[in-house]
Amino acid sequence: VTAVDRSPARLGRVRQNLARLGLAAEIVAADALAWRPAALADAVLLDAPCSATGTIRRHPDIPHLKSQADVEKLAVLQSRLLEAAATMLKPGGTLVYCTCSLQTEEGEAQAALALQFGLEPMPISAGELGLDDDMVRNGQLRTLPYHWAAQGGMDGFFAARFRRA
């Protein structure tokens, strides 16, 4: 496992969590737009930087801090990162793209762009994740703050899975 992030502070939290869990990973401080692994990977998880609008339950100030211009700027970065991540995969490798955003520009629209980068959808099913059926649409995971309301709700989240052709 290799964790790549351009933020040393975020990588510090990764190191702390790995140590707490007794896990190991190579930690790389680099911009994923330019960095490439020594060998192509079997799998890549792209937890893309996003507007974090899905965290509105815990951060009610989000709508006042983020604008449509922020979302548009992040969507451009996300598509560039998605293209870069696709180049890191072996043929037949798996890529999971995710964000904690409620905005379709940062979720479903990015998943549609993935086809341009040689990625084929690998539909997700609610059953394989043990989730409610309404959390999976068109083979993509989309959670919303009102899901699991009886348990206090959950963050908004998007994930899509692909295979490199």
Side-chain angles (χ1 to χ4, degrees):
V1 173
T2 303
V4 179
D5 199 303
R6 67 182 189 176
S7 167
R10 280 192 296 266
L11 288 172
R13 287 194 303 272
V14 169
R15 280 186 188 88
Q16 290 171 349
N17 285 330
L18 288 168
R20 180 177 52 82
L21 297 168
L23 299 172
E26 177 185 2
I27 305 292
V28 177
D31 186 337
L33 290 172
W35 180 87
R36 293 297 176 271
L40 294 178
D42 292 319
V44 171
L45 168 62
L46 174 54
D47 182 3
C50 70
S51 63
T53 55
T55 65
I56 193 168
R57 247 178 0 99
R58 294 177 292 120
H59 302 285
D61 55 338
I62 286 284
H64 305 288
L65 299 174
K66 302 294 179 173
S67 68
Q68 184 60 32
D70 293 326
V71 171
E72 291 167 5
K73 182 179 175 183
L74 286 162
V76 170
L77 175 60
Q78 291 156 359
S79 63
R80 292 180 63 211
L81 286 166
L82 189 56
E83 182 176 20
T87 69
M88 297 178 199
L89 277 176
K90 291 179 183 176
T94 301
L95 184 142
V96 174
Y97 169 85
C98 63
T99 63
C100 60
S101 173
L102 298 172
Q103 313 312 115
T104 58
E105 299 95 323
E106 297 182 89
E108 293 83 354
Q110 295 302 320
L113 287 174
L115 304 177
Q116 297 175 19
F117 309 134
L119 299 170
E120 301 170 346
M122 288 179 63
I124 297 168
S125 72
E128 76 181 286
L129 300 175
L131 298 174
D132 300 337
D133 287 339
D134 67 339
M135 294 179 184
V136 176
R137 300 180 200 155
N138 301 317
Q140 300 167 345
L141 175 66
R142 169 59 81 186
T143 64
L144 299 168
Y146 69 82
H147 285 136
W148 292 352
Q151 291 84 13
M154 64 181 353
D155 283 348
F157 185 78
F158 175 85
R161 180 174 58 189
F162 304 93
R163 184 178 78 74
R164 181 169 174 213

